[in-house]
Amino acid sequence: MSQQPQAACWPQALRAVRGWLTPWSTLQRYWRAWSTKPPPTALQELINTVGSGRPLDLYCPG
């Protein structure tokens, strides 16, 4: 008996994508608006980390 794949839960999928896409694009945009130099090493590592698909938790408990 084969199991059918579970249907995607769109709100969860969107949160997962936004968890890495939003910080990745925002960090780069803000840095380019602020400076013409390359980002410092720590910031570039953060940009690379979220760009590789490792999300940041954007929904911190209040």
Side-chain angles (χ1 to χ4, degrees):
M1 190 186 300
S2 66
Q3 286 185 313
Q4 298 263 336
Q6 191 172 359
C9 176
W10 285 109
Q12 288 178 341
L14 289 174
R15 275 194 296 273
V17 170
R18 283 187 63 208
W20 67 266
L21 183 60
T22 300
W24 177 76
S25 63
T26 303
L27 287 169
Q28 290 184 81
R29 187 171 14 126
Y30 287 175
W31 181 259
R32 284 192 304 255
W34 189 69
S35 177
T36 58
K37 296 180 182 179
T41 304
L43 179 59
Q44 187 60 56
E45 287 176 5
L46 178 61
I47 292 170
N48 293 343
T49 299
V50 294
S52 69
R54 294 194 59 201
L56 297 178
D57 186 7
L58 300 177
Y59 300 95
C60 298

